[in-house]
Amino acid sequence: MRLLIAVAVMAACSLANDNSDDLLWTTEDIESEDSIEDHLNKETPFLIYTFKDFSVALFEQYNSDRKWNTNLLKSIKSSKQFHTGVVSDTIEVNKDSGTVVKEVSSWEELEDAFAADMSTIGDKKYSALIIKPESVVFVKSNHRVKRVSIKTKPSQGARRKQPTSRLRSKSRKDELDFPIVLPPYHKSEKYPVSEENPENFGNCLLYLEGITVIVHKADSTPGYVAALIGNNENHKYLFADDDVQCVATSRKNTAFDSVRGEYSFDVTVKVAPEGVVAVYDKSPMFEVVDSISFKLLFNTTSPKTWELVNVELSEITINPVQGSSYVNEKLTIDEAVSAKPKHMNVYSTDPYGYGCSDTQAVFYPVESRSRNKYQVGIAFHNFQVELYGVYRDEKNDKIRFSQNVNDCVGTFSAGSLMGIIVAIILASILIFAFLMLNSVQTMDRFDDPKQKQIVINVRE
């Protein structure tokens, strides 16, 4: 049966406390800001499946177990683009439009319903939506029309679940090679250094060669095991223009009033298909797979001072490996979790940037089905960031960090201090020995057989 939508209308009912996750995908060439109404009014099928208790997390779990290997999942992955979000408005469908809304209660029913629709649609283009039943209602044909964007937004004060990078990758335009550079100047011809760069690029720059993933298992030996996601031609990072949010006025002026505010960098890394295995004492311990997504939030805490105030981890997946009991279950974080990086000590003062070969880690608790208590941490390898004051030559298309860098390894590291202390001790021993030898006095009188025998007074 071909699903033709003649007239369908949408209206917002402002259900501020009743938000519903949605998943929408299409095989049409559309703009990301097209509304759902735009889909409905086209002469192409629009499929709506109402799934009780549907959520993005539930879809992620279903896909994680099947690895895009069902007809439904393959169709979503191969679509032109797909979006996830939180709908705070009720979708109102015209009763007389001919729209067919199918209600399902399990993934098996959804797969069957989708397969039946695909057999009817064939090779024609279509759009589809999965949403909770309570978010769809039918109205009469004379109902007022109101456009509802595909990129649905949460109601005021509602917490939006962060879509994972596996879902966001379709809407992101650029997949770039390591190392990570944000903004990605010179990573492609699309990003030269010019006055036409987006205002939110400001005059900031971030460089990152690798991400160290650390798993901490309580009451275990070893307690910490790490895996480095570093320079590898198979690792990629995703970028969209709004992933960098730097104060626009900092590009021309470094006065405090021009640079004060929040700066943020969203980082999404696609791990190589083969994954990254953590090794301890020549034995595999766990595997990092899929994607890693996190957000770095900086703030100018006072004039001439800025620091990293929050690290928000929204996605990471760690699998157990055969032959190791260190991680005996799948560990995932698929919703944004924030942590204050108090041990990272990423901060600097004007006009210095910040650099570190290996930062300290920030840890996040992970839900576990077993009695084991796990924490997952991330640290940064060969990391440098400067929020403003970057050397920028737009005429010659050049940009680089300033020469002033506040390095996490100070002038005197623990090793250099130990070397200095040992050298001082050895030098002190040498000086003491020299003074002792120098204080030895030889005899200045000797016996002569032809002379009177020398008598030594006891007092001497």
Side-chain angles (χ1 to χ4, degrees), residues 135 321 336:
S135 297
V321 294

Side-chain angles (χ1 to χ4, degrees), residues 147-165:
R147 295 169 64 86
V148 180
S149 172
I150 293 173
K151 289 188 173 181
T152 51
K153 297 182 179 179
S155 60
Q156 187 67 27
R159 180 186 177 191
R160 181 187 178 101
K161 291 185 178 180
Q162 298 293 330
T164 62
S165 63

Side-chain angles (χ1 to χ4, degrees), residues 283-300:
S283 299
M285 306 298 282
F286 61 83
E287 182 183 25
V288 183
V289 297
D290 295 337
S291 302
I292 302 173
S293 297
F294 58 90
K295 178 179 181 179
L296 305 179
L297 180 62
F298 296 83
N299 194 9
T300 49

